[in-house]
Each structure stands twice: as structure tokens, then as C-alpha cells.
Amino acid sequence: MFEQQDPNLIQLNSAGQLKHFLTTEGLSREMLTEILDTADSFVDMSAQQVKKVPLLRGKTVVNLFFEASTRTASTFELAAKRLSADVLNLNIKTSSTSKGETLKDTLMTMEAMHSDMFVVRHSDSGAAHYIASNVTPHVAVINAGDGRHAHPTQAMLDMLTIRQHKGAFEPLTVAIVGDILHSRVARSQIHALRTLGAKEIRVIAPTTLLPRHIEALGVTVYTDMLQGLKDVDVVMMLRLQKERMQSALLPSESEFYNLYGLTEEKLKLTHPDSIVMHPGPINRGVEIETSVADGPKSMILKQVTNGIAVRMAVMSMAMGGQMTEHQAERGSE
């Protein structure tokens, strides 16, 4: 676990532009909206004959993954390449690199290669903040998930998906269901939804999978899924984080499915125009019924498409913020 500074002291440059993207917590509504608007401009790129823009041409992006990932790593790589960046993928999956000086040695090596951006995934909370605080000036850092703390690009691709299908956030009741305790996605979603003005945010989980004092984040807690789903507009399912469970927090996966799995029958309790989301990968028959995951209300594949656009947005914005800061410093010399 790394100590964390106020994220906005290091996320924004002196002009208030994004220069790192570490967390949704503390960012203004205007900043989150700018990320969504920028991402919207990239959404249709996959349908174009030439799927590239030159915004990061000549820049080197290092995907620095200390924790295994396929989906997140591949979408960041594709996003960087669509921005015309050169990409280096490093999968460092050994626990010996998880603390202090060893991590700093890795950073120094990458900086010596004149990298321009680090995309960081790490099993320890605060790792991305540590890197952003210790990295050479003008190297942008994007948090691709750190411990139980944050997964901001996942949250923002979820916000983009909601905005595309629901428009304004203010009328919405959103339910986040499942393993809240171990989920960095849930925390980032809650912060983003609150900032964007969602009417009500519900979390639905067994007490063993709820963090202490979760109500302090401005959510309504339900341990009964049938009550919690009543009339909601958006259902955001979470993956059961089995690899992060250190004790027997659940009697069985089948019992979890019976009580907290999203089935077609339970989905009938939601608003008739509700949508269903899941960050993936899906545990079918554990978190969600196959017919729901593949059904007409499911936005799961749309989330994947939006993930590329959102990651292109934050990478281009952070690099732009770094360049603006660098130019301002040179001008004041």
C-alpha cells in the first residue's frame, strides 16, 4: 500500500488541464464532461477506413502492468496505436516489484528510454499516485487499476455508455451489484456518478462484501437484491473478485447467484427501459444469467467499444496537459 497525496495536486497542471489520470475522485463535473465529449469524438473511428489520428505521433507509451490483464491491456494498446503512438508492453507479474525502491528502479529504467507516458496497473492501492509523484516531469501517468482503490478509465467508459443511452444523469437511479468490497471499479463509478449528478446510487451486496462506512460515499445500501433493484434505470454488475478474497466471505458461488446474480426474473423489477452493464470478464451463472448478458438490455459489448474511445480521450488529454505545462515552464525561463 502506497501513501496517496491529494490527487488533484498531481492530476492537473497549473491551467487546470489533465496531465495524469489517476482517479475520478475530486475531478470537477466539467472535467469529467470534457473527457466524455472528447471520447465521443473518437467513438465512430472504428467504422472509418483509416482508424488513426496523429495526436500522439512521435510519443512512446509504456503499458506497465504489474498485474495480469488481457482486456484492459489490449484496449490501452489499441487506443495508443490509434493515436499514432509507439507502444511498449511490459507485463511484470512478480510481487517483488510491488514496493518502493524496486518500483522506482523500474521507473528510472523506463524514463531512460525517453518514454512519454506510463499506463500503470498494479495490485497495490496508490501505486499510480506514487509513480505520478516520482516520475520525471512531463511523463504522463494513466491509472489502469490499482488494488482496491480506483479504475478510472473503466468508470468513465461506463459513464459514456450511460450517457449515450440515457442522456442526462440527473434523473437516474443506478444500482451497483456484487463484490463491492474488493472492487476498484465500484469506487470509481460511485465518485463519477456523484459528480455527474445521478439522482440515487444504490449498492447491493451481502454484508460480507460491503466495505465499512460505504454510506459515507453517498450511496444507499441494500442487502436484499429484490428491494434494491426496484425501478432502477441502470444495473451495473461487478465481477466476483475471487483472486482478491482472503477468507471465506461467501458460502458458495451458487448461493451468491441465487441471491445476487442478475436473472431475467430479477431484471423485471427494474425500470422497463433499464440497461445492464458489466466490466468483464463475465462469470456466467455466477454474477449474471447468460440470457441477460446477451439480451437486448445488455450494454456489455458497447462498453468494450467505448473503452477504446475513453482511453484515447484521457491519453490525448493528459499528453496535451503535459505539453502545455512544459511549454509554460520553458516560456518562464
mmCIF file of all heavy atoms in Angstrom, residues 109-141:
data_model
loop_
_atom_site.group_PDB
_atom_site.id
_atom_site.type_symbol
_atom_site.label_atom_id
_atom_site.label_comp_id
_atom_site.label_asym_id
_atom_site.label_seq_id
_atom_site.Cartn_x
_atom_site.Cartn_y
_atom_site.Cartn_z
ATOM 1 N N THR A 109 14.427 3.080 -15.263
ATOM 2 C CA THR A 109 14.804 2.385 -16.493
ATOM 3 C C THR A 109 13.928 2.839 -17.656
ATOM 4 O O THR A 109 14.416 3.111 -18.762
ATOM 5 C CB THR A 109 14.677 0.864 -16.302
ATOM 6 O OG1 THR A 109 15.515 0.461 -15.223
ATOM 7 C CG2 THR A 109 15.060 0.121 -17.568
ATOM 8 N N MET A 110 12.613 2.924 -17.391
ATOM 9 C CA MET A 110 11.684 3.344 -18.445
ATOM 10 C C MET A 110 11.930 4.802 -18.851
ATOM 11 O O MET A 110 11.847 5.163 -20.021
ATOM 12 C CB MET A 110 10.237 3.177 -17.968
ATOM 13 C CG MET A 110 9.795 1.741 -17.741
ATOM 14 S SD MET A 110 9.958 0.727 -19.235
ATOM 15 C CE MET A 110 11.479 -0.157 -18.871
ATOM 16 N N GLU A 111 12.228 5.654 -17.863
ATOM 17 C CA GLU A 111 12.500 7.061 -18.156
ATOM 18 C C GLU A 111 13.765 7.210 -19.006
ATOM 19 O O GLU A 111 13.854 8.092 -19.871
ATOM 20 C CB GLU A 111 12.639 7.845 -16.856
ATOM 21 C CG GLU A 111 11.310 8.008 -16.125
ATOM 22 C CD GLU A 111 11.491 8.468 -14.688
ATOM 23 O OE1 GLU A 111 12.642 8.740 -14.287
ATOM 24 O OE2 GLU A 111 10.489 8.554 -13.966
ATOM 25 N N ALA A 112 14.754 6.330 -18.756
ATOM 26 C CA ALA A 112 15.991 6.383 -19.534
ATOM 27 C C ALA A 112 15.751 6.050 -21.003
ATOM 28 O O ALA A 112 16.564 6.389 -21.865
ATOM 29 C CB ALA A 112 17.025 5.423 -18.939
ATOM 30 N N MET A 113 14.627 5.394 -21.279
ATOM 31 C CA MET A 113 14.252 5.103 -22.672
ATOM 32 C C MET A 113 13.474 6.259 -23.290
ATOM 33 O O MET A 113 12.961 6.135 -24.408
ATOM 34 C CB MET A 113 13.391 3.833 -22.711
ATOM 35 C CG MET A 113 14.109 2.584 -22.252
ATOM 36 S SD MET A 113 13.021 1.129 -22.345
ATOM 37 C CE MET A 113 14.064 -0.123 -21.598
ATOM 38 N N HIS A 114 13.362 7.377 -22.547
ATOM 39 C CA HIS A 114 12.668 8.575 -23.017
ATOM 40 C C HIS A 114 11.202 8.288 -23.344
ATOM 41 O O HIS A 114 10.680 8.701 -24.384
ATOM 42 C CB HIS A 114 13.384 9.182 -24.233
ATOM 43 C CG HIS A 114 14.821 9.530 -23.959
ATOM 44 N ND1 HIS A 114 15.180 10.577 -23.131
ATOM 45 C CD2 HIS A 114 15.984 8.950 -24.355
ATOM 46 C CE1 HIS A 114 16.497 10.627 -23.047
ATOM 47 N NE2 HIS A 114 17.019 9.651 -23.772
ATOM 48 N N SER A 115 10.562 7.597 -22.414
ATOM 49 C CA SER A 115 9.124 7.349 -22.552
ATOM 50 C C SER A 115 8.354 8.631 -22.265
ATOM 51 O O SER A 115 8.808 9.499 -21.521
ATOM 52 C CB SER A 115 8.687 6.253 -21.577
ATOM 53 O OG SER A 115 9.484 5.094 -21.738
ATOM 54 N N ASP A 116 7.164 8.732 -22.843
ATOM 55 C CA ASP A 116 6.333 9.924 -22.667
ATOM 56 C C ASP A 116 5.101 9.669 -21.806
ATOM 57 O O ASP A 116 4.519 10.616 -21.274
ATOM 58 C CB ASP A 116 5.871 10.433 -24.033
ATOM 59 C CG ASP A 116 7.047 10.811 -24.919
ATOM 60 O OD1 ASP A 116 7.698 11.827 -24.622
ATOM 61 O OD2 ASP A 116 7.324 10.063 -25.882
ATOM 62 N N MET A 117 4.703 8.417 -21.684
ATOM 63 C CA MET A 117 3.504 8.100 -20.910
ATOM 64 C C MET A 117 3.609 6.697 -20.348
ATOM 65 O O MET A 117 4.062 5.772 -21.041
ATOM 66 C CB MET A 117 2.252 8.217 -21.794
ATOM 67 C CG MET A 117 0.947 7.852 -21.097
ATOM 68 S SD MET A 117 -0.489 8.047 -22.202
ATOM 69 C CE MET A 117 -0.549 9.830 -22.357
ATOM 70 N N PHE A 118 3.197 6.540 -19.087
ATOM 71 C CA PHE A 118 3.086 5.227 -18.454
ATOM 72 C C PHE A 118 1.612 4.923 -18.208
ATOM 73 O O PHE A 118 0.903 5.734 -17.605
ATOM 74 C CB PHE A 118 3.813 5.182 -17.104
ATOM 75 C CG PHE A 118 5.303 5.336 -17.180
ATOM 76 C CD1 PHE A 118 6.008 5.874 -16.114
ATOM 77 C CD2 PHE A 118 6.023 4.937 -18.292
ATOM 78 C CE1 PHE A 118 7.382 6.017 -16.152
ATOM 79 C CE2 PHE A 118 7.398 5.075 -18.357
ATOM 80 C CZ PHE A 118 8.083 5.618 -17.282
ATOM 81 N N VAL A 119 1.169 3.775 -18.675
ATOM 82 C CA VAL A 119 -0.149 3.254 -18.315
ATOM 83 C C VAL A 119 0.111 2.155 -17.285
ATOM 84 O O VAL A 119 0.772 1.159 -17.591
ATOM 85 C CB VAL A 119 -0.892 2.694 -19.537
ATOM 86 C CG1 VAL A 119 -2.232 2.098 -19.119
ATOM 87 C CG2 VAL A 119 -1.085 3.785 -20.589
ATOM 88 N N VAL A 120 -0.374 2.344 -16.058
ATOM 89 C CA VAL A 120 0.056 1.518 -14.928
ATOM 90 C C VAL A 120 -1.111 0.718 -14.350
ATOM 91 O O VAL A 120 -2.171 1.270 -14.045
ATOM 92 C CB VAL A 120 0.653 2.395 -13.809
ATOM 93 C CG1 VAL A 120 1.112 1.521 -12.642
ATOM 94 C CG2 VAL A 120 1.805 3.230 -14.348
ATOM 95 N N ARG A 121 -0.897 -0.580 -14.204
ATOM 96 C CA ARG A 121 -1.835 -1.445 -13.471
ATOM 97 C C ARG A 121 -1.034 -2.137 -12.384
ATOM 98 O O ARG A 121 0.021 -2.715 -12.655
ATOM 99 C CB ARG A 121 -2.481 -2.472 -14.401
ATOM 100 C CG ARG A 121 -3.631 -3.259 -13.751
ATOM 101 C CD ARG A 121 -4.171 -4.253 -14.764
ATOM 102 N NE ARG A 121 -5.343 -4.970 -14.282
ATOM 103 C CZ ARG A 121 -6.593 -4.649 -14.591
ATOM 104 N NH1 ARG A 121 -6.840 -3.593 -15.356
ATOM 105 N NH2 ARG A 121 -7.592 -5.374 -14.153
ATOM 106 N N HIS A 122 -1.538 -2.095 -11.148
ATOM 107 C CA HIS A 122 -0.776 -2.601 -10.012
ATOM 108 C C HIS A 122 -1.729 -3.131 -8.953
ATOM 109 O O HIS A 122 -2.824 -2.612 -8.768
ATOM 110 C CB HIS A 122 0.079 -1.470 -9.436
ATOM 111 C CG HIS A 122 1.280 -1.925 -8.660
ATOM 112 N ND1 HIS A 122 1.174 -2.524 -7.433
ATOM 113 C CD2 HIS A 122 2.611 -1.857 -8.945
ATOM 114 C CE1 HIS A 122 2.394 -2.810 -6.980
ATOM 115 N NE2 HIS A 122 3.277 -2.418 -7.886
ATOM 116 N N SER A 123 -1.307 -4.163 -8.246
ATOM 117 C CA SER A 123 -2.167 -4.775 -7.232
ATOM 118 C C SER A 123 -2.216 -3.982 -5.934
ATOM 119 O O SER A 123 -3.057 -4.253 -5.077
ATOM 120 C CB SER A 123 -1.690 -6.207 -6.928
ATOM 121 O OG SER A 123 -0.350 -6.186 -6.472
ATOM 122 N N ASP A 124 -1.337 -3.001 -5.765
ATOM 123 C CA ASP A 124 -1.319 -2.191 -4.545
ATOM 124 C C ASP A 124 -2.033 -0.861 -4.756
ATOM 125 O O ASP A 124 -1.752 -0.139 -5.719
ATOM 126 C CB ASP A 124 0.119 -1.906 -4.104
ATOM 127 C CG ASP A 124 0.752 -3.087 -3.397
ATOM 128 O OD1 ASP A 124 0.061 -4.113 -3.243
ATOM 129 O OD2 ASP A 124 1.930 -2.990 -3.019
ATOM 130 N N SER A 125 -2.925 -0.530 -3.842
ATOM 131 C CA SER A 125 -3.608 0.760 -3.887
ATOM 132 C C SER A 125 -2.597 1.894 -3.751
ATOM 133 O O SER A 125 -1.694 1.836 -2.926
ATOM 134 C CB SER A 125 -4.641 0.853 -2.756
ATOM 135 O OG SER A 125 -5.632 -0.140 -2.890
ATOM 136 N N GLY A 126 -2.767 2.918 -4.572
ATOM 137 C CA GLY A 126 -1.888 4.085 -4.512
ATOM 138 C C GLY A 126 -0.660 3.997 -5.390
ATOM 139 O O GLY A 126 0.116 4.955 -5.455
ATOM 140 N N ALA A 127 -0.472 2.877 -6.086
ATOM 141 C CA ALA A 127 0.741 2.722 -6.904
ATOM 142 C C ALA A 127 0.824 3.768 -8.008
ATOM 143 O O ALA A 127 1.885 4.337 -8.264
ATOM 144 C CB ALA A 127 0.792 1.312 -7.499
ATOM 145 N N ALA A 128 -0.299 4.041 -8.680
ATOM 146 C CA ALA A 128 -0.281 5.020 -9.768
ATOM 147 C C ALA A 128 0.037 6.417 -9.238
ATOM 148 O O ALA A 128 0.756 7.186 -9.879
ATOM 149 C CB ALA A 128 -1.622 5.013 -10.501
ATOM 150 N N HIS A 129 -0.504 6.747 -8.052
ATOM 151 C CA HIS A 129 -0.198 8.038 -7.446
ATOM 152 C C HIS A 129 1.290 8.129 -7.102
ATOM 153 O O HIS A 129 1.925 9.168 -7.307
ATOM 154 C CB HIS A 129 -1.022 8.232 -6.161
ATOM 155 C CG HIS A 129 -2.480 8.442 -6.399
ATOM 156 N ND1 HIS A 129 -3.308 7.444 -6.844
ATOM 157 C CD2 HIS A 129 -3.252 9.548 -6.260
ATOM 158 C CE1 HIS A 129 -4.530 7.918 -6.958
ATOM 159 N NE2 HIS A 129 -4.528 9.195 -6.613
ATOM 160 N N TYR A 130 1.840 7.046 -6.588
ATOM 161 C CA TYR A 130 3.266 7.010 -6.255
ATOM 162 C C TYR A 130 4.107 7.259 -7.504
ATOM 163 O O TYR A 130 5.061 8.045 -7.490
ATOM 164 C CB TYR A 130 3.617 5.656 -5.638
ATOM 165 C CG TYR A 130 5.102 5.440 -5.422
ATOM 166 C CD1 TYR A 130 5.726 5.868 -4.260
ATOM 167 C CD2 TYR A 130 5.876 4.807 -6.394
ATOM 168 C CE1 TYR A 130 7.092 5.680 -4.062
ATOM 169 C CE2 TYR A 130 7.239 4.608 -6.215
ATOM 170 C CZ TYR A 130 7.839 5.045 -5.041
ATOM 171 O OH TYR A 130 9.190 4.868 -4.862
ATOM 172 N N ILE A 131 3.756 6.599 -8.580
ATOM 173 C CA ILE A 131 4.508 6.742 -9.818
ATOM 174 C C ILE A 131 4.397 8.167 -10.344
ATOM 175 O O ILE A 131 5.393 8.780 -10.734
ATOM 176 C CB ILE A 131 4.025 5.710 -10.853
ATOM 177 C CG1 ILE A 131 4.449 4.298 -10.414
ATOM 178 C CG2 ILE A 131 4.566 6.020 -12.250
ATOM 179 C CD1 ILE A 131 3.852 3.186 -11.248
ATOM 180 N N ALA A 132 3.180 8.719 -10.343
ATOM 181 C CA ALA A 132 2.992 10.082 -10.837
ATOM 182 C C ALA A 132 3.753 11.099 -9.993
ATOM 183 O O ALA A 132 4.222 12.119 -10.512
ATOM 184 C CB ALA A 132 1.506 10.430 -10.861
ATOM 185 N N SER A 133 3.896 10.805 -8.698
ATOM 186 C CA SER A 133 4.605 11.725 -7.797
ATOM 187 C C SER A 133 6.115 11.632 -7.947
ATOM 188 O O SER A 133 6.836 12.574 -7.611
ATOM 189 C CB SER A 133 4.227 11.427 -6.345
ATOM 190 O OG SER A 133 2.839 11.569 -6.141
ATOM 191 N N ASN A 134 6.606 10.489 -8.437
ATOM 192 C CA ASN A 134 8.047 10.262 -8.505
ATOM 193 C C ASN A 134 8.609 10.226 -9.922
ATOM 194 O O ASN A 134 9.818 10.131 -10.102
ATOM 195 C CB ASN A 134 8.401 8.942 -7.800
ATOM 196 C CG ASN A 134 8.268 9.048 -6.290
ATOM 197 O OD1 ASN A 134 9.172 9.518 -5.600
ATOM 198 N ND2 ASN A 134 7.127 8.631 -5.761
ATOM 199 N N VAL A 135 7.749 10.316 -10.906
ATOM 200 C CA VAL A 135 8.188 10.191 -12.280
ATOM 201 C C VAL A 135 8.861 11.490 -12.745
ATOM 202 O O VAL A 135 8.635 12.567 -12.177
ATOM 203 C CB VAL A 135 6.977 9.834 -13.182
ATOM 204 C CG1 VAL A 135 6.155 11.081 -13.506
ATOM 205 C CG2 VAL A 135 7.409 9.122 -14.442
ATOM 206 N N THR A 136 9.701 11.381 -13.749
ATOM 207 C CA THR A 136 10.317 12.555 -14.357
ATOM 208 C C THR A 136 9.228 13.513 -14.850
ATOM 209 O O THR A 136 8.218 13.073 -15.392
ATOM 210 C CB THR A 136 11.185 12.120 -15.559
ATOM 211 O OG1 THR A 136 12.247 11.309 -15.084
ATOM 212 C CG2 THR A 136 11.763 13.316 -16.289
ATOM 213 N N PRO A 137 9.390 14.824 -14.657
ATOM 214 C CA PRO A 137 8.399 15.774 -15.152
ATOM 215 C C PRO A 137 8.107 15.579 -16.643
ATOM 216 O O PRO A 137 8.986 15.206 -17.415
ATOM 217 C CB PRO A 137 9.061 17.131 -14.897
ATOM 218 C CG PRO A 137 9.988 16.890 -13.758
ATOM 219 C CD PRO A 137 10.494 15.493 -13.943
ATOM 220 N N HIS A 138 6.847 15.785 -17.000
ATOM 221 C CA HIS A 138 6.361 15.734 -18.384
ATOM 222 C C HIS A 138 6.153 14.306 -18.888
ATOM 223 O O HIS A 138 5.936 14.105 -20.076
ATOM 224 C CB HIS A 138 7.257 16.529 -19.339
ATOM 225 C CG HIS A 138 7.683 17.842 -18.767
ATOM 226 N ND1 HIS A 138 6.773 18.762 -18.271
ATOM 227 C CD2 HIS A 138 8.908 18.374 -18.556
ATOM 228 C CE1 HIS A 138 7.428 19.809 -17.799
ATOM 229 N NE2 HIS A 138 8.727 19.603 -17.954
ATOM 230 N N VAL A 139 6.222 13.316 -17.986
ATOM 231 C CA VAL A 139 5.777 11.962 -18.326
ATOM 232 C C VAL A 139 4.377 11.791 -17.734
ATOM 233 O O VAL A 139 4.189 11.915 -16.527
ATOM 234 C CB VAL A 139 6.726 10.885 -17.775
ATOM 235 C CG1 VAL A 139 6.166 9.492 -18.063
ATOM 236 C CG2 VAL A 139 8.115 11.028 -18.381
ATOM 237 N N ALA A 140 3.391 11.535 -18.593
ATOM 238 C CA ALA A 140 2.011 11.378 -18.140
ATOM 239 C C ALA A 140 1.803 9.973 -17.585
ATOM 240 O O ALA A 140 2.385 9.006 -18.083
ATOM 241 C CB ALA A 140 1.051 11.635 -19.293
ATOM 242 N N VAL A 141 0.962 9.867 -16.547
ATOM 243 C CA VAL A 141 0.649 8.573 -15.943
ATOM 244 C C VAL A 141 -0.864 8.358 -15.990
ATOM 245 O O VAL A 141 -1.638 9.228 -15.570
ATOM 246 C CB VAL A 141 1.141 8.502 -14.479
ATOM 247 C CG1 VAL A 141 0.722 7.179 -13.833
ATOM 248 C CG2 VAL A 141 2.660 8.655 -14.425
#
